[in-house]
Amino acid sequence: MTHAKPVEFTHRQILTILGGLMMGMFLAALDQTIMATATRTIADDLQGFDLQAWATTAFLITSTISTPLYGKLSDIYGRRPFFLLAIGIFILGSFLCGLSDNMWQLAAFRAIQGLGAGGLMSLALAIIGDIVPPRERAKYQGFFLAVFGTASVLGPILGGFFAGADQILWTDGWRWVFYLNVPIGLAAMAVVARVLHLPHHRVDHRIDWPGALTLILGLVPLLTVAEQGRDWGWTSGRSILCYVIGVVGLIGFVLAERAYKDEALLPLALLSKRTVAVGVSASTILGMAMFGGLMTVPLYLQIVKGSSATLAGLQMIPFVVGIMGGSIISGQLISKTGRYRIFPIVGSVFMVVALFLFSLIGADTPLWRTMLVMVLMGLGLGSNMQPMITAVQNAVSPREIGTATGAVTFFRSMGGTLGTAVFLSVLFNVLPGNIRDAYASARATPEFQQALASDPAQGELLKTAMGGAGLADTSFLSRLSDVIAHPFKVGFAESVHVVYLIAFFVMILGLIVVFFLPELPLSQRSAQQARAEDELQATGDGPA
């Protein structure tokens, strides 16, 4: 019987492999940010503005649910084929999205895209775990956050460009939001197929299909209600039905995982390890605070500061600089010292402080001050995300790296979905009252009365805003004079304060959880080296 020999990868080989992995991750990261600025144009063109949320929901559901599946299956059958499959499915979904004729078709094709996206993130992190020892891993994983940072800036700019162009190469401009993924994806496939050759010793396992099916039954209704609940009403019949089916599915999932033990999709024994339990819990809370808190920054920049979607993307650059700085500094220090526990703690402290400072930003706060807080928030995230994944990967056996990485990514995504749903709901619940109060205060001032008297048409526009239509479409603000638009911006800024205060308290909980993270010695062997050496020892061929 032949055994896979430990393979030592040179720094240059690792960087080449990293190039392919980063291209795959860039696809997933860019897709999320490019859609933010293009969605309205796409929805208008496909005459489905009221259905646009389904395009987001479909992608979210399939990408979240497929993440742990990719992790588990790649542990059994090897990473390379599943990473290539994930890219292939994503390319197919992207191409079909570009051909969509209506919003329902787009939602269906976005679901196919999501099936691919679920593997791009977790498998890239797992592959790095296979080829790089934990002590060195954080250095390379910092590159991945750089990909996210670049995508978060490029996405809104490209989305605005494509959405704003009527025709590019004889087809609607917005369709290139999806077609752009095809050449990038094909290049990523070519690089990965050429350079990623990991030795894999297959171990036959039962595949946990009951766990997969009950996870789908549990999460589809819960993710759907998280996205749609604000429109349906959280206590409506449809929402309650989703809650009931979701809870039944999750109970079934726990029972299935207990029955399948170590072969489960998310083994309960794995989640009982302290490092993994802390990593999963902290990632869920981090996802809530990150997505829930940060999705309001572009809204603040566009509504309060009057930035276009493209400009708002550029104004987020300080946040990206913070993420990259935090990840690079923490990665280098982990590599030098072999200690990782301090970085998620410091990162969480930075995030707590940043969210509190965000809660103090008003309609008249200078932009440079907001940008300084963005840098602090980015430093917190950069110091938190990758060291936590390194800690979890280091704490599990080499054969469980895919499953463990998939679990952390999965729970962070779930936290993000939950945070976005809760915080958007809070924002839109407090917004009308805060805007009314701001206008009630402003009406007493001579400047406001004079501005209204000099142009009565402004009063009519104001009625539109106060009637609630202004919350669905805020473009009327650009047609109001500064004096009359200012109370609306004050009301919006005060509503955002509430969101950031909630995120602040959520992140304090995250900081408490991170204090329970144990400090384990970082292994000097990569996962595939450890697996190969363990196999040699098991047959008596290697050193005892």
Side-chain angles (χ1 to χ4, degrees), residues 132-366:
V132 182
R135 181 82 178 252
E136 304 294 313
R137 203 171 291 161
K139 280 199 301 192
Y140 293 101
Q141 287 179 335
F143 285 109
F144 289 163
L145 279 183
V147 168
F148 267 103
T150 308
S152 65
V153 173
L154 269 182
I157 297 168
L158 288 172
F161 170 73
F162 289 134
D166 288 336
Q167 293 264 305
I168 299 175
L169 295 178
W170 311 284
T171 188
D172 300 326
W174 66 261
R175 296 184 188 272
W176 287 95
V177 164
F178 303 108
Y179 291 150
L180 180 70
N181 292 329
V182 177
I184 299 173
L186 290 172
M189 280 185 95
V191 173
V192 171
R194 185 177 173 84
V195 302
L196 186 65
H197 296 287
L198 295 175
H200 180 70
H201 178 60
R202 176 174 168 167
V203 180
D204 285 319
H205 283 292
R206 291 183 301 167
I207 296 176
D208 179 15
W209 294 117
L213 292 172
T214 48
L215 184 66
I216 291 167
L217 181 67
L219 289 186
V220 168
L222 292 178
L223 286 171
T224 302
V225 78
E227 287 289 306
Q228 305 289 334
R230 194 163 46 82
D231 296 326
W232 292 353
W234 297 107
T235 55
S236 67
R238 278 190 286 187
S239 295
I240 290 168
L241 182 64
C242 284
Y243 302 143
V244 172
I245 296 171
V247 169
V248 169
L250 291 181
I251 292 169
F253 176 68
V254 171
L255 294 174
E257 301 313 89
R258 280 182 63 185
Y260 271 71
K261 297 188 170 67
D262 290 342
E263 294 176 324
L265 193 61
L266 285 173
L268 299 182
L270 187 69
L271 296 177
S272 68
K273 290 182 179 176
R274 187 167 144 195
T275 302
V276 179
V278 170
V280 160
S281 307
S283 293
T284 306
I285 295 167
L286 185 74
M288 281 189 74
M290 178 174 71
F291 288 99
L294 281 171
M295 50 108 201
T296 50
V297 175
L299 288 175
Y300 170 85
L301 292 171
Q302 289 177 62
I303 291 171
V304 178
K305 294 300 178 187
S307 304
S308 66
T310 306
L311 182 59
L314 288 170
Q315 287 168 341
M316 293 290 281
I317 287 176
F319 172 65
V320 177
V321 169
I323 284 187
M324 290 166 72
S327 64
I328 291 166
I329 292 165
S330 62
Q332 293 295 333
L333 289 174
I334 288 171
S335 180
K336 279 181 182 170
T337 64
R339 304 181 76 82
Y340 58 81
R341 182 176 177 268
I342 186 66
F343 296 103
I345 293 172
V346 170
S348 297
V349 169
F350 283 170
M351 287 181 70
V352 166
V353 174
L355 287 166
F356 180 72
L357 292 174
F358 269 135
S359 76
L360 303 177
I361 288 169
D364 301 311
T365 303

Side-chain angles (χ1 to χ4, degrees), residues 339-482:
R339 304 181 76 82
Y340 58 81
R341 182 176 177 268
I342 186 66
F343 296 103
I345 293 172
V346 170
S348 297
V349 169
F350 283 170
M351 287 181 70
V352 166
V353 174
L355 287 166
F356 180 72
L357 292 174
F358 269 135
S359 76
L360 303 177
I361 288 169
D364 301 311
T365 303
L367 189 58
W368 63 266
R369 203 177 294 172
T370 310
M371 287 180 165
L372 285 178
V373 184
M374 283 188 214
V375 173
L376 186 63
M377 185 78 174
L379 281 169
L381 275 170
S383 305
N384 212 323
M385 288 165 71
Q386 298 309 330
M388 189 61 80
I389 285 181
T390 299
V392 169
Q393 289 179 341
N394 184 62
V396 301
S397 88
R399 297 194 182 284
E400 295 175 318
I401 274 200
T403 305
T405 309
V408 173
T409 314
F410 167 75
F411 280 101
R412 187 186 297 154
S413 176
M414 286 296 297
T417 306
L418 187 62
T420 304
V422 169
F423 291 133
L424 272 180
S425 188
V426 168
L427 179 65
F428 284 102
N429 275 334
V430 300
L431 195 54
N434 283 340
I435 290 172
R436 274 196 302 272
D437 292 346
Y439 272 110
S441 301
R443 277 200 174 90
T445 63
E447 298 88 6
F448 189 87
Q449 291 167 0
Q450 190 179 348
L452 211 53
S454 63
D455 188 356
Q458 299 268 306
E460 291 302 313
L461 261 177
L462 195 54
K463 280 182 189 170
T464 306
M466 301 306 283
L471 303 185
D473 180 8
T474 55
S475 60
F476 72 91
L477 282 172
S478 60
R479 302 196 298 276
L480 289 177
S481 69
D482 289 344

